[in-house]
Amino acid sequence: MPTLEIDGREVTVENGTNLIQAAEKLGTEIPHYCYHPGLAVAGNCRMCLVEIEKMPKLQIACNTRASDGMVVKTKSEKVLKARQSVLEFLLINHPIDCPICDQAGECKLQDYYMDHDRQDSRVPVEAKVHKGKAIDIGPMIMLDQERCILCTRCTRFLDEVTKTGELGIFQRGDHSQIGLFPGVALDNPYSGNVADICPVGALTNKDFRFRARVWYLERTPSICPGCATGCNIDIHHRRGEMFRFRPRHNPDVNSYWMCDEGRLTYKRYQGEGRLLQPVRRVESDWQPIPWNDTTAEVRGLLAGDSRLAAIVSAQATNEEIHLLAKVLGERGGRIAGHAWSPAGASRDDFLIDGDKNPNTAGLRAQGIDPAAARAVVDAALAGELSALVLFRTDLSQICSEEEIDQLGQRLERVVSFDTHFTRSGEISDLIVPIASFAETGGTFTNRAGRVQRLAQALAPVGQSRPGWEVLGEFLSEPASATSAAEVFAELSNFSSVFSGMRMTDIGERGRALAAEQPSVAE
Ligand code: SF4
Ligand code: SF4
Ligand code: FES
């Protein structure tokens, strides 16, 4: 573990740490473009030059390992002059189209220019080398060649991470430009990541382009609901609307990346189809009802005989599953899990899991079989049940159209809790609108048994409410929990698998469940 001095302060780091990381440990940023901690070092942008005692020339921090006794200066006159020169060089042919550039506000050229350069260009705009603009290079990404600083982050990502190698650098000198290899498009399941790692506005995300200026957006840490991997994300949102998901670094789950399919899952949860208020069925029509009446009516519907069952999908949070199991347990009802994925669902050996549910492992950990929904449907069809609760569950994923109609006839009482109106709603007596994963606090357990936190990013739409809050009202002693964290604390007291965990110490990287889990058939 070498100890070195950076700008007069001592720091001890792991063997193999480079100077950018060592400085970061002290809270000092060494400006850089081409270096990315998830990629091999390229050392081509020269922005990270620092002065090292006993070395005659400035050295690049990204490719210099910290060693014992090293004395490094990151802010000396020599370093600042070099930085200014590098920036001037990088900007010689840059179009400076910040006012119309989607990267403005999160562009490292803008940031470093303001911090380290601030000089007028010695090259008039007319004399600049012009290259291609707004080139459609794949389903997710637009390329602006003029803005590219040739840092090769994108090509390294495509060579090292996806190993698809669609992009390369072509031509020579100041005509060098990033481009597609002939006959290919940037079309791989992780292509959106290149826009995240491009330090300038050369690669931008088509879905996000021109929809919002980034300085208006808020960020909330969350978990992608797209599959069982549970990639860590930040939700970028404003005034109740989600604008994009960005991967959040978690070395134990997704490193710095996420897939394109997951990146677009935010669209499911906003806009069309969201349930905005509780409704009751009156003959063939729906009648809105106030929340007070809803709670009383649901209690009434659950109060009949004990031939009661619930199906809870693996889209539900751990807290919702726990409370629903408790509600059913108090009434002698049975509970089954439901983890649905479409036929031919995408999967690979990297991040994408064929199980398109974020919390199948959470069901199992609470002793609920995620494949038992069909058995409950069969029992209902056989007339063994009188009432059914459907929690985030669309019956059309479990049975045929005819069977759904038969269920509607055979069951005396059906209550549906969901974010959207689905086929389940059509046979329900009451539909209770609940918050989406982005509108409620809670946890999911990923495929590796890692419990991860969802922070609430948005207020629930319309009159919908967090599932944990609504379910707490149906317990014999209505729950006193005022937050998902309190429900989680109760779960961890109740379950040996979650034992000892508290929401606060799960932290940003999640925590692995205790190894011993209730045995439930796969
Ligand atoms: S497109 Fe972006 S990531 Fe790729 S080389 Fe250019 S600046 Fe770097
Ligand atoms: S791999 Fe799964 S969890 Fe990760 S981003 Fe894609 S869909 Fe979301
Ligand atoms: S970050 Fe070190 S040379 Fe680019």
Side-chain angles (χ1 to χ4, degrees):
M1 298 253 288
T3 297
L4 65 161
E5 187 187 300
I6 300 178
D7 296 336
R9 291 162 68 202
E10 263 197 6
V11 61
T12 302
V13 293
E14 298 284 328
N15 284 331
T17 306
N18 68 41
L19 293 182
I20 291 184
Q21 294 167 318
E24 238 168 48
K25 218 175 156 190
L26 288 170
T28 299
E29 189 200 13
I30 299 179
H32 57 274
Y33 288 112
C34 68
Y35 171 70
H36 186 286
L39 303 172
V41 170
N44 61 36
C45 74
R46 319 312 282 181
M47 190 62 197
C48 65
L49 288 168
V50 291
E51 200 175 340
I52 302 174
E53 199 179 76
K54 296 190 188 128
M55 293 210 179
K57 287 185 176 176
L58 299 180
Q59 302 293 315
I60 51 172
C62 63
N63 202 28
T64 306
R65 287 189 174 189
S67 62
D68 215 29
M70 217 175 217
V71 178
V72 182
K73 289 182 189 153
T74 75
K75 298 184 179 99
S76 67
E77 206 180 313
K78 224 167 144 185
V79 170
L80 295 181
K81 181 75 199 115
R83 241 174 239 171
Q84 197 178 28
S85 304
V86 169
L87 269 170
E88 183 177 17
F89 175 70
L90 291 175
L91 286 165
I92 283 178
N93 287 307
H94 192 271
I96 324 285
D97 46 9
C98 308
I100 53 151
C101 178
D102 209 45
Q103 189 82 358
E106 53 186 0
C107 171
K108 286 294 174 192
L109 273 178
Q110 285 186 330
D111 294 350
Y112 294 154
Y113 173 82
M114 295 310 287
D115 291 344
H116 304 284
D117 194 9
R118 293 202 185 208
Q119 56 186 325
D120 289 341
S121 175
R122 283 187 266 177
V123 182
V125 175
E126 317 74 68
K128 289 180 185 249
V129 178
H130 292 291
K131 298 174 190 168
K133 296 190 83 65
I135 308 168
D136 186 346
I137 57 169
M140 293 285 280
I141 301 294
M142 294 293 274
L143 165 65
D144 187 306
Q145 291 170 320
E146 283 185 346
R147 296 177 189 159
C148 170
I149 56 165
L150 303 168
C151 73
T152 71
R153 277 187 180 187
C154 56
T155 58
R156 276 176 285 145
F157 172 80
L158 298 169
D159 291 344
E160 296 165 18
V161 181
T162 60
K163 301 187 172 57
T164 46
E166 294 94 335
L167 290 174
I169 293 178
F170 303 92
Q171 311 298 343
R172 291 284 181 273
D174 61 6
H175 283 72
S176 297
Q177 61 188 32
I178 204 87
L180 285 170
F181 280 94
V184 294
L186 178 49
D187 187 5
N188 69 63
Y190 297 91
S191 66
N193 293 289
V194 298
D196 301 338
I197 59 175
C198 180
V200 302
L203 295 169
T204 49
N205 187 320
K206 280 187 194 172
D207 178 59
F208 178 70
R209 269 164 71 86
F210 309 126
R211 283 178 53 221
R213 280 308 201 180
V214 295
W215 51 86
Y216 292 127
L217 300 180
E218 289 176 56
R219 290 176 189 209
T220 305
S222 189
I223 302 300
C224 172
C227 83
T229 303
C231 290
N232 291 211
I233 57 166
D234 279 319
I235 300 177
H236 291 214
H237 56 98
R238 183 183 186 218
R239 293 186 181 157
E241 189 184 348
M242 290 188 277
F243 284 85
R244 61 178 176 183
F245 287 170
R246 277 272 183 99
R248 182 165 51 86
H249 178 226
N250 188 335
D252 297 316
V253 181
N254 55 306
S255 185
Y256 295 90
W257 323 118
M258 74 184 296
C259 78
D260 294 351
E261 205 176 311
R263 196 179 284 273
L264 299 179
T265 49
Y266 77 89
K267 294 180 184 229
R268 280 186 215 159
Y269 300 95
Q270 61 192 7
E272 249 174 71
R274 282 297 300 270
L275 294 166
L276 300 177
Q277 58 190 353
V279 286
R280 88 151 70 82
R281 191 141 57 104
V282 181
E283 290 167 4
S284 60
D285 208 2
W286 294 104
Q287 185 186 67
I289 45 171
W291 266 105
N292 283 348
D293 296 355
T294 308
T295 309
E297 288 207 18
V298 174
R299 277 178 165 270
L301 287 169
L302 298 180
D305 64 55
S306 64
R307 292 183 307 135
L308 168 70
I311 301 177
V312 53
S313 91
Q315 299 286 329
T317 63
N318 289 320
E319 295 70 22
E320 291 168 342
I321 295 167
H322 168 64
L323 288 176
L324 185 62
K326 221 169 148 186
V327 168
L328 267 286
E330 284 184 349
R331 290 163 174 81
R334 64 196 266 203
I335 181 162
H338 171 54
W340 180 81
S341 300
S346 55
R347 66 181 70 223
D348 65 18
D349 297 335
F350 182 34
L351 296 177
I352 303 171
D353 199 291
D355 174 5
K356 298 300 170 195
N357 299 280
N359 203 23
T360 308
L363 282 174
R364 283 204 190 94
Q366 296 197 49
I368 297 171
D369 183 349
R374 182 65 223 189
V376 165
V377 166
D378 288 340
L381 289 171
E384 293 164 20
L385 296 174
S386 59
L388 185 62
V389 175
L390 297 161
F391 198 88
R392 298 194 192 271
T393 295
D394 180 356
L395 279 174
S396 64
Q397 296 168 353
I398 307 171
C399 37
S400 67
E401 291 294 303
E402 298 73 43
E403 285 173 328
I404 297 174
D405 293 336
Q406 284 171 24
L407 285 174
Q409 287 152 13
R410 305 240 161 109
L411 289 161
E412 290 162 24
R413 292 126 38 219
V414 180
V415 188
S416 217
F417 296 81
D418 216 332
T419 50
H420 291 76
F421 187 81
T422 68
R423 202 58 179 94
S424 301
E426 287 175 27
I427 62 156
S428 296
D429 299 287
L430 205 66
I431 306 177
V432 183
I434 49 170
S436 76
F437 84 100
E439 298 159 2
T440 180
T443 54
F444 286 148
T445 309
N446 84 348
R447 62 184 178 185
R450 177 166 284 272
V451 182
Q452 307 195 92
R453 282 177 67 168
L454 312 166
Q456 182 181 352
L458 317 168
V461 296
Q463 293 177 26
S464 62
R465 291 167 57 202
W468 61 265
E469 188 181 293
V470 176
L471 288 169
E473 289 169 356
F474 308 131
L475 294 169
S476 54
E477 275 185 41
S480 56
T482 55
S483 67
E486 284 176 39
V487 179
F488 185 77
E490 189 196 291
L491 166 64
S492 72
N493 290 337
F494 172 85
S495 149
S496 59
V497 179
F498 289 86
S499 173
M501 281 193 190
R502 286 292 178 271
M503 193 89 98
T504 41
D505 50 47
I506 290 174
E508 294 236 317
R509 280 169 58 171
R511 255 185 78 178
L513 278 180
E516 163 228 343
Q517 296 189 20
S519 65
V520 166
E522 284 285 320

